[in-house]
Structure formats: C-alpha cells, structure tokens
Amino acid sequence: MSRVSHILAPLPVNPHDPAAILPDLEAAIAGQTSVLPLPQGDITRSTVLRNTQRAGEPIDDAIALVVATSGSTGTPKGAQLSPLNVVASADATHQALGGPGQWLLAMPGHHIAGIQVLIRSLVAGVDPLCLDLSAGFDVSAFARAAHVLGRTGDRAYTALTPLQLAKAMDTLEGIEALALFDAVLIGGAPLNPQLRVSAEKLGITLRATYGASETAGGCVYDGMALPGTRVRVVDGRIRLGGPTIAHGYRNLPGHAAFSEPGWFITSDGGFIENGHLNVTGRLDNVIDSGGLKLHPEVLEKELLMVPGVAEACVVGVPHPRLGQAIVAAYTGAASLMDILVALEDAEVPRWQVPKDLKRVEELPLTGPGKIDRRAVRELFSAASS
C-alpha cells in the first residue's frame, strides 16, 4: 500500500446525534475519503487520538477508517480499515444472523462496535435508530426505541456491552425490550454466564461476540467464526485471518501483530475444541503467583457464576513471597463468605482463591464495558499503603 492521496479527516461523533456521521461513513466506504472517528465532547481523548493518529496528514487512499483501540494498555493504536474490511464484516454479520435488518445504535459511535452498527445499516440500506448517549445508557429510552423497531416488521438487531445488558435485564421494561430483537450482540467484555442463562429463559436471543478494531469488529460469534473468518491457535495465542483484517496500525507501522500477511496475531490466549474457539483471556494479563500462572478471566468466570456477583475483576498485585498475589474486586449483593463457599464448592484450586476480595459500588472502566485493570490494581495498592 503505497498510494497517498487522501488526508485523514477527523470525524467528531456527536453523542446526541451519532447518525449525523452516516454521510461521511458512506463516503469513506465508497473510497472517497479517509476518516478518524473521535469522541465529541471528550477533549482529552479527542486530542490524544488526533495527535497519535496524525489527523490532517496524508494517508493511503485504500484506507476508509482509522479506528483507535481502547488504549487500556498504553497509547491507543489506530487500526487501518479498508472499505472491503468493514463491508465484509457487515455482510458476514447479516449472514450469520439470518439476513439484514434495522439496527438500534446503543453504543458510542466512535468505537468499532458502534461504527459497525452504522455501517451495517448503510450496507442493509435501512436507516438505523440511534439513542442519545450523552448522559449514558438509559433503559427507558432503549425500551422505547426497541418498540419503535418492533412495529416496522423488519428484523431488528442491536449491540450492547455486558454492563448494558445487565442494566436492561434489571427492569421489566428492559427485559421486554430485549425480547423484541431477533438478536442482541454482546461484546467488549466476557458475558456473565448467569445473565446468559437468564436471557435464554426469558426468550432473549444473545450472541456473544469476539473481535477487535483490528478485525473490523466481532468476527467470532458464540465461539464460531463468521463466514470468511479463519481462526488458528499457535502456541496458545489466537490468530485471526480473513477479509476483515486491518491493514496494520496508522501509528505503529511494521507492528508484530500484522507480521503474517492476512492475519492478526492477537494478545489473547485460547484453544479450539470441536471447532469452537474458547478464549481464556489476554496473555499480558496472566498472573504469576508463586510460579503458578492464572488467566484472570478463568477465575472471573467462576466468580460470575456465584449468585449475587454482577461483575468481577481479578488482578495480580505485588507480593514479597509469591511475586504476585491474586486479588479480586466485584459488584453485587454477594458477601465475601458467599463467594468463598461457592469457590470451594466449585473446587477452584486453593492457590487461585483470591487473597483479598473487595466489594465495590462500581468497577472502573476504560471504554464501553471494558474494565480498567490498572485502576482495579490501584484499589488494592491504595488499601495497603
């Protein structure tokens, strides 16, 4: 990719009216421009993205979008997506869900999950319905919009984070609204197994997604690759291939994640069993406690199975003897004793049982539905200092 004829244009996304960027997105996937979606109103984040992704500077005209990662482990990386990347993703999603339909945007329009809701709408030729997210996710507004979609007679879809799903399922109007959709995509973080079981009993169709900005959004649904997507696991690390894979990073050319042409080498560990991808968690989050290694997501899954635990985050903190001690923060009504008894009943190895458990009102986030592990570590560091 050596052509340079576009200038990367900043594209602020108004949380009051995210659909206003649809003409710009349409021009981008038509190859007429290259855009960088930005969070309007978040001056700090917007400035960081403009600077790190070199907004206003030349870019290869084969790039439609530069979509920033959450930056949870450092400087945001900018995935360079072509028109083929994003359209192939939209087509594969509709094929997996049973056909195009009308989408409800309930996530920020500058993140890949929100951007893809808008692009799927463009590809389907059906205007999306968009929530005003300026004050956060409002269940009543979501329910009203869902009923509007339900009256159109078209297939109806939406995409939510696990936190949004949990909030909606806390109310009767939210449950009724969720049941109106032909499918609700859940991504950005692992889905609470208890929520999934409850949703199934209530007639809510959930599809747990796995993907990233680098793959133009979710490319594996419920452990199965979407049409066109290829999945390999090499030395315990997940690799994803296919037409949705980004053309490297805007601000990190030659990055090792794209060292194999046509593939994205993720930072996630996992394994394939009976054709089903099981994601164990980010490799850079692995906790080494006394020489024993733990993917925190494995223990988090056990914690989320405990009645009364709504969210959980497991991290390692410095320990003079073990190197790292396993600790966990959680939200919900469960008591410490409830959790310890449940972990014992589940036969969780004793060394994996958290050395410290902390119940909090809410877990810190870094992006939609993504828990900020560094901030969680600081909760325990502050307590010990």
Side-chain angles (χ1 to χ4, degrees), residues 3-36:
R3 302 181 306 275
V4 179
S5 61
H6 286 169
I7 298 297
L8 182 60
L11 182 61
V13 181
N14 185 344
H16 297 285
D17 182 22
I21 69 168
L22 282 170
D24 297 279
L25 286 181
E26 189 168 24
I29 63 177
Q32 299 168 0
T33 185
S34 304
V35 297
L36 170 67

PDB file of all heavy atoms in Angstrom, residues 3-36:
ATOM      1  N   ARG A   3       0.023   4.131  -2.179  1.00  0.00           N
ATOM      2  CA  ARG A   3      -0.661   5.325  -2.678  1.00  0.00           C
ATOM      3  C   ARG A   3      -0.972   6.264  -1.518  1.00  0.00           C
ATOM      4  O   ARG A   3      -1.373   5.833  -0.451  1.00  0.00           O
ATOM      5  CB  ARG A   3      -1.983   4.941  -3.372  1.00  0.00           C
ATOM      6  CG  ARG A   3      -1.814   3.972  -4.519  1.00  0.00           C
ATOM      7  CD  ARG A   3      -3.171   3.666  -5.151  1.00  0.00           C
ATOM      8  NE  ARG A   3      -4.143   3.216  -4.178  1.00  0.00           N
ATOM      9  CZ  ARG A   3      -4.233   1.940  -3.799  1.00  0.00           C
ATOM     10  NH1 ARG A   3      -3.409   1.033  -4.265  1.00  0.00           N
ATOM     11  NH2 ARG A   3      -5.171   1.583  -2.945  1.00  0.00           N
ATOM     12  N   VAL A   4      -0.770   7.531  -1.714  1.00  0.00           N
ATOM     13  CA  VAL A   4      -1.093   8.528  -0.690  1.00  0.00           C
ATOM     14  C   VAL A   4      -1.785   9.691  -1.380  1.00  0.00           C
ATOM     15  O   VAL A   4      -1.143  10.526  -2.007  1.00  0.00           O
ATOM     16  CB  VAL A   4       0.170   9.014   0.045  1.00  0.00           C
ATOM     17  CG1 VAL A   4      -0.204  10.072   1.074  1.00  0.00           C
ATOM     18  CG2 VAL A   4       0.877   7.860   0.724  1.00  0.00           C
ATOM     19  N   SER A   5      -3.106   9.726  -1.278  1.00  0.00           N
ATOM     20  CA  SER A   5      -3.827  10.820  -1.936  1.00  0.00           C
ATOM     21  C   SER A   5      -4.920  11.402  -1.059  1.00  0.00           C
ATOM     22  O   SER A   5      -5.485  12.428  -1.390  1.00  0.00           O
ATOM     23  CB  SER A   5      -4.450  10.333  -3.253  1.00  0.00           C
ATOM     24  OG  SER A   5      -5.378   9.302  -3.011  1.00  0.00           O
ATOM     25  N   HIS A   6      -5.218  10.736   0.063  1.00  0.00           N
ATOM     26  CA  HIS A   6      -6.214  11.263   0.994  1.00  0.00           C
ATOM     27  C   HIS A   6      -5.533  11.962   2.160  1.00  0.00           C
ATOM     28  O   HIS A   6      -4.372  11.689   2.474  1.00  0.00           O
ATOM     29  CB  HIS A   6      -7.094  10.135   1.548  1.00  0.00           C
ATOM     30  CG  HIS A   6      -8.095   9.608   0.567  1.00  0.00           C
ATOM     31  ND1 HIS A   6      -8.826   8.466   0.792  1.00  0.00           N
ATOM     32  CD2 HIS A   6      -8.494  10.067  -0.649  1.00  0.00           C
ATOM     33  CE1 HIS A   6      -9.629   8.248  -0.234  1.00  0.00           C
ATOM     34  NE2 HIS A   6      -9.433   9.207  -1.123  1.00  0.00           N
ATOM     35  N   ILE A   7      -6.256  12.835   2.808  1.00  0.00           N
ATOM     36  CA  ILE A   7      -5.854  13.417   4.084  1.00  0.00           C
ATOM     37  C   ILE A   7      -6.771  12.823   5.142  1.00  0.00           C
ATOM     38  O   ILE A   7      -7.998  12.814   4.975  1.00  0.00           O
ATOM     39  CB  ILE A   7      -5.993  14.955   4.065  1.00  0.00           C
ATOM     40  CG1 ILE A   7      -5.088  15.563   3.004  1.00  0.00           C
ATOM     41  CG2 ILE A   7      -5.681  15.531   5.442  1.00  0.00           C
ATOM     42  CD1 ILE A   7      -3.609  15.329   3.229  1.00  0.00           C
ATOM     43  N   LEU A   8      -6.179  12.299   6.221  1.00  0.00           N
ATOM     44  CA  LEU A   8      -7.003  11.692   7.272  1.00  0.00           C
ATOM     45  C   LEU A   8      -7.824  12.775   7.964  1.00  0.00           C
ATOM     46  O   LEU A   8      -7.280  13.652   8.646  1.00  0.00           O
ATOM     47  CB  LEU A   8      -6.133  10.955   8.285  1.00  0.00           C
ATOM     48  CG  LEU A   8      -6.889  10.240   9.402  1.00  0.00           C
ATOM     49  CD1 LEU A   8      -7.839   9.170   8.841  1.00  0.00           C
ATOM     50  CD2 LEU A   8      -5.924   9.608  10.408  1.00  0.00           C
ATOM     51  N   ALA A   9      -9.138  12.705   7.771  1.00  0.00           N
ATOM     52  CA  ALA A   9     -10.034  13.748   8.287  1.00  0.00           C
ATOM     53  C   ALA A   9     -10.597  13.361   9.642  1.00  0.00           C
ATOM     54  O   ALA A   9     -11.163  12.270   9.791  1.00  0.00           O
ATOM     55  CB  ALA A   9     -11.179  13.975   7.300  1.00  0.00           C
ATOM     56  N   PRO A  10     -10.458  14.222  10.654  1.00  0.00           N
ATOM     57  CA  PRO A  10     -11.106  13.943  11.943  1.00  0.00           C
ATOM     58  C   PRO A  10     -12.621  13.954  11.779  1.00  0.00           C
ATOM     59  O   PRO A  10     -13.173  14.786  11.050  1.00  0.00           O
ATOM     60  CB  PRO A  10     -10.624  15.080  12.846  1.00  0.00           C
ATOM     61  CG  PRO A  10     -10.043  16.111  11.953  1.00  0.00           C
ATOM     62  CD  PRO A  10      -9.725  15.496  10.643  1.00  0.00           C
ATOM     63  N   LEU A  11     -13.291  13.010  12.451  1.00  0.00           N
ATOM     64  CA  LEU A  11     -14.741  12.890  12.342  1.00  0.00           C
ATOM     65  C   LEU A  11     -15.354  12.843  13.740  1.00  0.00           C
ATOM     66  O   LEU A  11     -15.577  11.762  14.297  1.00  0.00           O
ATOM     67  CB  LEU A  11     -15.110  11.634  11.543  1.00  0.00           C
ATOM     68  CG  LEU A  11     -16.593  11.364  11.294  1.00  0.00           C
ATOM     69  CD1 LEU A  11     -17.224  12.507  10.503  1.00  0.00           C
ATOM     70  CD2 LEU A  11     -16.792  10.036  10.564  1.00  0.00           C
ATOM     71  N   PRO A  12     -15.622  13.998  14.348  1.00  0.00           N
ATOM     72  CA  PRO A  12     -16.241  14.003  15.684  1.00  0.00           C
ATOM     73  C   PRO A  12     -17.642  13.390  15.642  1.00  0.00           C
ATOM     74  O   PRO A  12     -18.430  13.683  14.740  1.00  0.00           O
ATOM     75  CB  PRO A  12     -16.304  15.494  16.038  1.00  0.00           C
ATOM     76  CG  PRO A  12     -15.307  16.148  15.122  1.00  0.00           C
ATOM     77  CD  PRO A  12     -15.338  15.346  13.859  1.00  0.00           C
ATOM     78  N   VAL A  13     -17.927  12.549  16.623  1.00  0.00           N
ATOM     79  CA  VAL A  13     -19.223  11.889  16.703  1.00  0.00           C
ATOM     80  C   VAL A  13     -20.031  12.523  17.827  1.00  0.00           C
ATOM     81  O   VAL A  13     -19.644  12.455  19.003  1.00  0.00           O
ATOM     82  CB  VAL A  13     -19.070  10.368  16.960  1.00  0.00           C
ATOM     83  CG1 VAL A  13     -20.438   9.699  17.015  1.00  0.00           C
ATOM     84  CG2 VAL A  13     -18.201   9.736  15.877  1.00  0.00           C
ATOM     85  N   ASN A  14     -21.136  13.143  17.470  1.00  0.00           N
ATOM     86  CA  ASN A  14     -21.995  13.822  18.441  1.00  0.00           C
ATOM     87  C   ASN A  14     -22.816  12.777  19.194  1.00  0.00           C
ATOM     88  O   ASN A  14     -23.603  12.054  18.585  1.00  0.00           O
ATOM     89  CB  ASN A  14     -22.928  14.787  17.696  1.00  0.00           C
ATOM     90  CG  ASN A  14     -23.768  15.620  18.634  1.00  0.00           C
ATOM     91  OD1 ASN A  14     -23.905  15.311  19.818  1.00  0.00           O
ATOM     92  ND2 ASN A  14     -24.350  16.690  18.116  1.00  0.00           N
ATOM     93  N   PRO A  15     -22.644  12.657  20.515  1.00  0.00           N
ATOM     94  CA  PRO A  15     -23.405  11.643  21.258  1.00  0.00           C
ATOM     95  C   PRO A  15     -24.908  11.876  21.229  1.00  0.00           C
ATOM     96  O   PRO A  15     -25.690  10.950  21.434  1.00  0.00           O
ATOM     97  CB  PRO A  15     -22.849  11.757  22.682  1.00  0.00           C
ATOM     98  CG  PRO A  15     -22.282  13.139  22.767  1.00  0.00           C
ATOM     99  CD  PRO A  15     -21.770  13.449  21.393  1.00  0.00           C
ATOM    100  N   HIS A  16     -25.327  13.132  20.975  1.00  0.00           N
ATOM    101  CA  HIS A  16     -26.752  13.429  20.841  1.00  0.00           C
ATOM    102  C   HIS A  16     -27.311  12.919  19.518  1.00  0.00           C
ATOM    103  O   HIS A  16     -28.490  12.579  19.419  1.00  0.00           O
ATOM    104  CB  HIS A  16     -27.002  14.947  20.929  1.00  0.00           C
ATOM    105  CG  HIS A  16     -26.638  15.559  22.238  1.00  0.00           C
ATOM    106  ND1 HIS A  16     -27.401  15.402  23.378  1.00  0.00           N
ATOM    107  CD2 HIS A  16     -25.576  16.332  22.580  1.00  0.00           C
ATOM    108  CE1 HIS A  16     -26.830  16.060  24.374  1.00  0.00           C
ATOM    109  NE2 HIS A  16     -25.726  16.625  23.918  1.00  0.00           N
ATOM    110  N   ASP A  17     -26.450  12.875  18.497  1.00  0.00           N
ATOM    111  CA  ASP A  17     -26.914  12.518  17.158  1.00  0.00           C
ATOM    112  C   ASP A  17     -25.812  11.782  16.389  1.00  0.00           C
ATOM    113  O   ASP A  17     -25.241  12.311  15.423  1.00  0.00           O
ATOM    114  CB  ASP A  17     -27.336  13.785  16.398  1.00  0.00           C
ATOM    115  CG  ASP A  17     -27.885  13.485  15.007  1.00  0.00           C
ATOM    116  OD1 ASP A  17     -28.318  12.337  14.781  1.00  0.00           O
ATOM    117  OD2 ASP A  17     -27.860  14.401  14.162  1.00  0.00           O
ATOM    118  N   PRO A  18     -25.476  10.550  16.792  1.00  0.00           N
ATOM    119  CA  PRO A  18     -24.398   9.813  16.115  1.00  0.00           C
ATOM    120  C   PRO A  18     -24.686   9.522  14.648  1.00  0.00           C
ATOM    121  O   PRO A  18     -23.761   9.360  13.851  1.00  0.00           O
ATOM    122  CB  PRO A  18     -24.275   8.521  16.930  1.00  0.00           C
ATOM    123  CG  PRO A  18     -25.554   8.407  17.687  1.00  0.00           C
ATOM    124  CD  PRO A  18     -26.030   9.792  17.936  1.00  0.00           C
ATOM    125  N   ALA A  19     -25.969   9.488  14.265  1.00  0.00           N
ATOM    126  CA  ALA A  19     -26.320   9.197  12.871  1.00  0.00           C
ATOM    127  C   ALA A  19     -25.860  10.310  11.928  1.00  0.00           C
ATOM    128  O   ALA A  19     -25.821  10.106  10.703  1.00  0.00           O
ATOM    129  CB  ALA A  19     -27.826   8.997  12.736  1.00  0.00           C
ATOM    130  N   ALA A  20     -25.491  11.473  12.471  1.00  0.00           N
ATOM    131  CA  ALA A  20     -25.054  12.583  11.625  1.00  0.00           C
ATOM    132  C   ALA A  20     -23.789  12.253  10.851  1.00  0.00           C
ATOM    133  O   ALA A  20     -23.490  12.903   9.843  1.00  0.00           O
ATOM    134  CB  ALA A  20     -24.832  13.831  12.482  1.00  0.00           C
ATOM    135  N   ILE A  21     -23.023  11.221  11.287  1.00  0.00           N
ATOM    136  CA  ILE A  21     -21.789  10.879  10.562  1.00  0.00           C
ATOM    137  C   ILE A  21     -22.046   9.889   9.429  1.00  0.00           C
ATOM    138  O   ILE A  21     -21.099   9.535   8.710  1.00  0.00           O
ATOM    139  CB  ILE A  21     -20.706  10.300  11.506  1.00  0.00           C
ATOM    140  CG1 ILE A  21     -21.103   8.909  12.028  1.00  0.00           C
ATOM    141  CG2 ILE A  21     -20.425  11.255  12.651  1.00  0.00           C
ATOM    142  CD1 ILE A  21     -19.964   8.174  12.718  1.00  0.00           C
ATOM    143  N   LEU A  22     -23.287   9.459   9.224  1.00  0.00           N
ATOM    144  CA  LEU A  22     -23.577   8.470   8.185  1.00  0.00           C
ATOM    145  C   LEU A  22     -23.101   8.904   6.792  1.00  0.00           C
ATOM    146  O   LEU A  22     -22.496   8.098   6.068  1.00  0.00           O
ATOM    147  CB  LEU A  22     -25.068   8.139   8.167  1.00  0.00           C
ATOM    148  CG  LEU A  22     -25.554   7.178   9.254  1.00  0.00           C
ATOM    149  CD1 LEU A  22     -27.072   7.125   9.292  1.00  0.00           C
ATOM    150  CD2 LEU A  22     -24.986   5.779   9.020  1.00  0.00           C
ATOM    151  N   PRO A  23     -23.334  10.164   6.364  1.00  0.00           N
ATOM    152  CA  PRO A  23     -22.832  10.557   5.039  1.00  0.00           C
ATOM    153  C   PRO A  23     -21.312  10.443   4.915  1.00  0.00           C
ATOM    154  O   PRO A  23     -20.793  10.038   3.868  1.00  0.00           O
ATOM    155  CB  PRO A  23     -23.298  12.006   4.905  1.00  0.00           C
ATOM    156  CG  PRO A  23     -24.493  12.106   5.809  1.00  0.00           C
ATOM    157  CD  PRO A  23     -24.160  11.228   6.965  1.00  0.00           C
ATOM    158  N   ASP A  24     -20.587  10.771   5.993  1.00  0.00           N
ATOM    159  CA  ASP A  24     -19.129  10.661   5.970  1.00  0.00           C
ATOM    160  C   ASP A  24     -18.691   9.200   5.912  1.00  0.00           C
ATOM    161  O   ASP A  24     -17.738   8.858   5.207  1.00  0.00           O
ATOM    162  CB  ASP A  24     -18.532  11.341   7.198  1.00  0.00           C
ATOM    163  CG  ASP A  24     -18.814  12.828   7.241  1.00  0.00           C
ATOM    164  OD1 ASP A  24     -18.086  13.567   6.562  1.00  0.00           O
ATOM    165  OD2 ASP A  24     -19.757  13.241   7.929  1.00  0.00           O
ATOM    166  N   LEU A  25     -19.380   8.341   6.671  1.00  0.00           N
ATOM    167  CA  LEU A  25     -19.059   6.913   6.624  1.00  0.00           C
ATOM    168  C   LEU A  25     -19.330   6.350   5.233  1.00  0.00           C
ATOM    169  O   LEU A  25     -18.549   5.535   4.709  1.00  0.00           O
ATOM    170  CB  LEU A  25     -19.867   6.145   7.669  1.00  0.00           C
ATOM    171  CG  LEU A  25     -19.456   6.293   9.131  1.00  0.00           C
ATOM    172  CD1 LEU A  25     -20.355   5.425  10.010  1.00  0.00           C
ATOM    173  CD2 LEU A  25     -17.992   5.902   9.334  1.00  0.00           C
ATOM    174  N   GLU A  26     -20.437   6.767   4.635  1.00  0.00           N
ATOM    175  CA  GLU A  26     -20.782   6.280   3.298  1.00  0.00           C
ATOM    176  C   GLU A  26     -19.715   6.705   2.286  1.00  0.00           C
ATOM    177  O   GLU A  26     -19.310   5.909   1.419  1.00  0.00           O
ATOM    178  CB  GLU A  26     -22.149   6.811   2.887  1.00  0.00           C
ATOM    179  CG  GLU A  26     -22.676   6.190   1.603  1.00  0.00           C
ATOM    180  CD  GLU A  26     -24.141   6.514   1.367  1.00  0.00           C
ATOM    181  OE1 GLU A  26     -24.631   7.529   1.898  1.00  0.00           O
ATOM    182  OE2 GLU A  26     -24.799   5.736   0.649  1.00  0.00           O
ATOM    183  N   ALA A  27     -19.235   7.936   2.397  1.00  0.00           N
ATOM    184  CA  ALA A  27     -18.181   8.407   1.500  1.00  0.00           C
ATOM    185  C   ALA A  27     -16.887   7.628   1.731  1.00  0.00           C
ATOM    186  O   ALA A  27     -16.152   7.321   0.784  1.00  0.00           O
ATOM    187  CB  ALA A  27     -17.942   9.899   1.712  1.00  0.00           C
ATOM    188  N   ALA A  28     -16.620   7.283   2.995  1.00  0.00           N
ATOM    189  CA  ALA A  28     -15.394   6.541   3.310  1.00  0.00           C
ATOM    190  C   ALA A  28     -15.424   5.141   2.728  1.00  0.00           C
ATOM    191  O   ALA A  28     -14.440   4.676   2.140  1.00  0.00           O
ATOM    192  CB  ALA A  28     -15.191   6.488   4.823  1.00  0.00           C
ATOM    193  N   ILE A  29     -16.561   4.420   2.865  1.00  0.00           N
ATOM    194  CA  ILE A  29     -16.609   3.059   2.332  1.00  0.00           C
ATOM    195  C   ILE A  29     -16.761   3.059   0.817  1.00  0.00           C
ATOM    196  O   ILE A  29     -16.575   2.010   0.174  1.00  0.00           O
ATOM    197  CB  ILE A  29     -17.716   2.211   3.003  1.00  0.00           C
ATOM    198  CG1 ILE A  29     -19.103   2.781   2.741  1.00  0.00           C
ATOM    199  CG2 ILE A  29     -17.468   2.094   4.493  1.00  0.00           C
ATOM    200  CD1 ILE A  29     -20.221   1.918   3.338  1.00  0.00           C
ATOM    201  N   ALA A  30     -17.039   4.223   0.233  1.00  0.00           N
ATOM    202  CA  ALA A  30     -17.044   4.355  -1.227  1.00  0.00           C
ATOM    203  C   ALA A  30     -15.655   4.718  -1.746  1.00  0.00           C
ATOM    204  O   ALA A  30     -15.462   4.868  -2.965  1.00  0.00           O
ATOM    205  CB  ALA A  30     -18.057   5.406  -1.667  1.00  0.00           C
ATOM    206  N   GLY A  31     -14.672   4.873  -0.830  1.00  0.00           N
ATOM    207  CA  GLY A  31     -13.313   5.174  -1.233  1.00  0.00           C
ATOM    208  C   GLY A  31     -13.046   6.627  -1.527  1.00  0.00           C
ATOM    209  O   GLY A  31     -12.015   6.972  -2.099  1.00  0.00           O
ATOM    210  N   GLN A  32     -13.961   7.512  -1.110  1.00  0.00           N
ATOM    211  CA  GLN A  32     -13.829   8.928  -1.444  1.00  0.00           C
ATOM    212  C   GLN A  32     -13.068   9.730  -0.404  1.00  0.00           C
ATOM    213  O   GLN A  32     -12.602  10.836  -0.673  1.00  0.00           O
ATOM    214  CB  GLN A  32     -15.229   9.531  -1.626  1.00  0.00           C
ATOM    215  CG  GLN A  32     -16.027   8.900  -2.751  1.00  0.00           C
ATOM    216  CD  GLN A  32     -17.488   9.318  -2.726  1.00  0.00           C
ATOM    217  OE1 GLN A  32     -17.915  10.085  -1.859  1.00  0.00           O
ATOM    218  NE2 GLN A  32     -18.265   8.811  -3.675  1.00  0.00           N
ATOM    219  N   THR A  33     -12.932   9.179   0.796  1.00  0.00           N
ATOM    220  CA  THR A  33     -12.267   9.903   1.873  1.00  0.00           C
ATOM    221  C   THR A  33     -11.758   8.908   2.908  1.00  0.00           C
ATOM    222  O   THR A  33     -12.100   7.715   2.873  1.00  0.00           O
ATOM    223  CB  THR A  33     -13.235  10.907   2.542  1.00  0.00           C
ATOM    224  OG1 THR A  33     -12.521  11.686   3.509  1.00  0.00           O
ATOM    225  CG2 THR A  33     -14.371  10.183   3.255  1.00  0.00           C
ATOM    226  N   SER A  34     -10.939   9.380   3.822  1.00  0.00           N
ATOM    227  CA  SER A  34     -10.447   8.571   4.949  1.00  0.00           C
ATOM    228  C   SER A  34     -10.743   9.348   6.220  1.00  0.00           C
ATOM    229  O   SER A  34     -10.402  10.532   6.317  1.00  0.00           O
ATOM    230  CB  SER A  34      -8.945   8.319   4.831  1.00  0.00           C
ATOM    231  OG  SER A  34      -8.622   7.705   3.599  1.00  0.00           O
ATOM    232  N   VAL A  35     -11.382   8.686   7.203  1.00  0.00           N
ATOM    233  CA  VAL A  35     -11.825   9.412   8.391  1.00  0.00           C
ATOM    234  C   VAL A  35     -11.341   8.749   9.670  1.00  0.00           C
ATOM    235  O   VAL A  35     -11.097   7.544   9.727  1.00  0.00           O
ATOM    236  CB  VAL A  35     -13.370   9.541   8.425  1.00  0.00           C
ATOM    237  CG1 VAL A  35     -13.865  10.350   7.243  1.00  0.00           C
ATOM    238  CG2 VAL A  35     -14.042   8.167   8.452  1.00  0.00           C
ATOM    239  N   LEU A  36     -11.228   9.579  10.710  1.00  0.00           N
ATOM    240  CA  LEU A  36     -10.838   9.149  12.052  1.00  0.00           C
ATOM    241  C   LEU A  36     -11.960   9.519  13.016  1.00  0.00           C
ATOM    242  O   LEU A  36     -12.072  10.678  13.418  1.00  0.00           O
ATOM    243  CB  LEU A  36      -9.535   9.836  12.470  1.00  0.00           C
ATOM    244  CG  LEU A  36      -9.100   9.674  13.932  1.00  0.00           C
ATOM    245  CD1 LEU A  36      -8.730   8.230  14.230  1.00  0.00           C
ATOM    246  CD2 LEU A  36      -7.923  10.606  14.248  1.00  0.00           C
TER     247      LEU A  36
END
